[in-house]
Amino acid sequence: MRFRRSLAVAATVTVATPIALLTAAPAIAAGTSAGSTQNQPTYAELVKAATDAKKTFDAAVTAEAEGRKEVEAALDALNSDTHPLKAAVIAAGKAAKEAAATTDAAKKAVADAKAKLEAAEGDTDKAEAQRVLEAAEGDLTKAVATQQEADAEAKRAGTALDDARVAAVRKYSQLQQALAKARAAKEAADKALATAKECVRENGLTSLAVGLPAKVAAGSTVDFTLRMTNGTQRTLTVDRLVFFYGAGEGPGAKKNLLKVEWSDGSAWQTLTGESPEHIAHVDAMKPGERSDVKLRMTVDSAAKNVDAFALLAADASDAYNPCVLGPMKRYDFKLTPVGSKPDPADDAEPSQPDQNDDKRPVAAKPGNNAGLSAQGGASQQVIGTTATGAGAGGSLAETGSSSAMGPIALTSAATVALGAGAVVAARRRRSTGDA
């Protein structure tokens, strides 16, 4: 059987993904705030490289399996007495054996003729014996020549059969080598992609609550600002991650006493209050830019000296990393009874990141307690106020759909416990789903 189709596949395998493409990713995924990425592969390029490498590997696996069957069939055929090459070996071997027997007979005839010549007594007998000897020696010369030719033909036939076997195995070896190259390329592409998927910490991507009081009276409403600043060297696609919680009083109370809304520039959107969620998507936030979102919080009138907290962070991505994490900040504040007069100048202060700062709780879609899927994202289209640098000036800028945040969607449940004056918030270190 021919290996034309299988060898064609093997030829394509040798065109492997450039090593530079597969080895460049770790420099970005390691978490460096890359200022020079022009020589780095984008995440999309790494996904394509991994996809192409898998296709090539799968094709090589199929080609190797087909080639193995073909070489086994070819070797079986070559070992069959009916195969022309094997039949030629058999025939040549038989001819060589017969020629050898003829040579042996000629040698015996020469020996007998010599013995008769030595035994001859008369001139006539000697002359006849000499004639017989010369004829026998002539026959022996011809027999030896015939045997040499037969031996050479047998060797040629054997060599042809061996060459055919070697050729069949060599073609299969090419398929094995192609498979090994394809496997190595696939492993390198998978490793590069996995490295790129690792979440990158960017401490310069900050989220702060500006004007959030340290104490808020029950039944009142306060306005404040969620300020996000891109202090990195990257242009990022960003979603703000927010969660506000104040537990109701009494054993086992689960009611969230806070209603928090955010402005999309034209209307107020209400947070579910059930779990962290993404708001105010920004398609492209350049280095040094700042984006403010207005929030307002209304405290249930049933609140009486309740400990509350807010979690704020930024989840982002760029062309090189689908998972870029800004540090999470936690604000602890107090819900005081109706009619109390907290000091309006006393703002809540952000706590320092703790050991769980690399983790993200699940972020729910509006009106849905389920977490974001690997292919989904926060559904809001929002308008945020964006200002360049640290100045107060700025203009309204349309930020577009947040569906681009799908690759960094979160996958774990939030763990939030409020008791004995302590708040435990887990942020699950998250990565993208399979591309």
Side-chain angles (χ1 to χ4, degrees), residues 9 13 56-68 179 182-183:
V9 174
V13 172
T56 302
F57 173 73
D58 290 344
V61 169
T62 300
E64 189 274 340
E66 292 178 352
R68 184 170 60 252
L179 177 58
R183 179 181 289 107

Side-chain angles (χ1 to χ4, degrees), residues 241 313-315 325-326 357 359-361 410 412 426-429:
L241 185 69
D315 290 344
L325 302 180
D357 192 52
K359 301 178 181 179
R360 288 293 199 272
L410 310 175
S412 72
R427 300 168 70 191
R428 183 180 186 277
R429 181 177 179 87

Side-chain angles (χ1 to χ4, degrees), residues 236-238 240 262-266 280-286 289-293 380-387 394-402:
L236 298 170
T237 297
V238 189
R240 298 165 176 84
W262 62 279
S263 174
D264 65 7
S266 60
H281 174 83
V282 181
D283 273 337
M285 192 173 189
K286 296 180 180 179
E289 284 189 337
R290 190 185 75 196
S291 177
D292 288 347
V293 175
Q380 303 98 324
Q381 288 189 350
V382 303
I383 296 178
T385 304
T386 302
S395 60
L396 293 177
E398 184 175 356
T399 59
S401 170
S402 63

Side-chain angles (χ1 to χ4, degrees), residues 199-427:
C199 292
V200 175
R201 280 295 306 274
E202 284 287 10
N203 291 329
L205 182 61
T206 59
S207 299
L208 299 174
V210 180
L212 174 64
K215 296 181 179 180
V216 185
S220 67
T221 298
V222 296
D223 293 326
F224 56 100
T225 299
L226 172 56
R227 175 163 295 168
M228 181 174 66
T229 303
N230 184 6
T232 75
Q233 300 179 38
R234 304 167 179 262
T235 295
L236 298 170
T237 297
V238 189
D239 276 328
R240 298 165 176 84
L241 185 69
V242 298
F243 183 51
F244 292 80
Y245 189 79
E249 293 183 322
K254 296 182 179 179
K255 180 181 179 182
N256 191 349
L257 298 174
L258 302 178
K259 176 185 177 182
V260 182
E261 301 169 282
W262 62 279
S263 174
D264 65 7
S266 60
W268 289 96
Q269 307 292 329
T270 302
L271 300 179
T272 67
E274 297 175 349
S275 62
E277 54 197 287
H278 285 131
I279 67 171
H281 174 83
V282 181
D283 273 337
M285 192 173 189
K286 296 180 180 179
E289 284 189 337
R290 190 185 75 196
S291 177
D292 288 347
V293 175
K294 294 179 180 179
L295 292 94
R296 66 186 183 191
M297 180 174 65
T298 300
V299 182
D300 193 294
S301 59
K304 296 179 181 179
N305 295 318
V306 173
D307 290 324
F309 68 93
L311 298 177
L312 306 176
D315 290 344
S317 66
D318 64 8
Y320 303 93
N321 294 99
C323 177
V324 179
L325 302 180
M328 179 172 279
K329 295 295 184 181
R330 189 183 76 194
Y331 289 79
D332 293 314
F333 54 96
K334 194 80 171 181
L335 307 182
T336 59
V338 174
S340 59
K341 302 294 183 181
D343 185 354
D346 187 12
D347 288 347
E349 296 293 334
S351 64
Q352 293 298 317
D354 60 17
Q355 61 183 358
N356 292 320
D357 192 52
D358 272 327
K359 301 178 181 179
R360 288 293 199 272
V362 76
K365 296 181 181 179
N368 186 349
N369 194 35
L372 294 178
S373 69
Q375 299 300 324
S379 62
Q380 303 98 324
Q381 288 189 350
V382 303
I383 296 178
T385 304
T386 302
T388 301
S395 60
L396 293 177
E398 184 175 356
T399 59
S401 170
S402 63
S403 61
M405 289 300 293
I408 64 168
L410 310 175
T411 59
S412 72
T415 302
V416 180
L418 182 61
V423 177
V424 179
R427 300 168 70 191

Side-chain angles (χ1 to χ4, degrees), residues 80-165:
S80 172
D81 291 350
T82 60
H83 191 282
L85 293 178
K86 183 62 178 294
V89 169
I90 295 173
K94 182 179 179 180
K97 185 176 181 180
E98 292 175 349
T102 300
T103 299
D104 290 342
K107 289 180 178 179
K108 186 177 184 304
V110 169
D112 291 345
K114 287 181 177 179
K116 289 181 179 181
L117 178 59
E118 291 176 0
E121 295 180 355
D123 292 339
T124 301
D125 290 341
K126 289 182 179 181
E128 178 60 22
Q130 182 64 39
R131 183 189 65 78
V132 171
L133 175 59
E134 291 175 354
E137 290 175 339
D139 291 340
L140 176 58
T141 300
K142 292 179 181 179
V144 169
T146 300
Q147 182 182 354
Q148 290 174 343
E149 178 59 31
D151 289 342
E153 180 59 28
K155 184 177 180 179
R156 285 192 293 269
T159 299
L161 180 60
D162 290 341
D163 288 347
R165 289 169 174 162

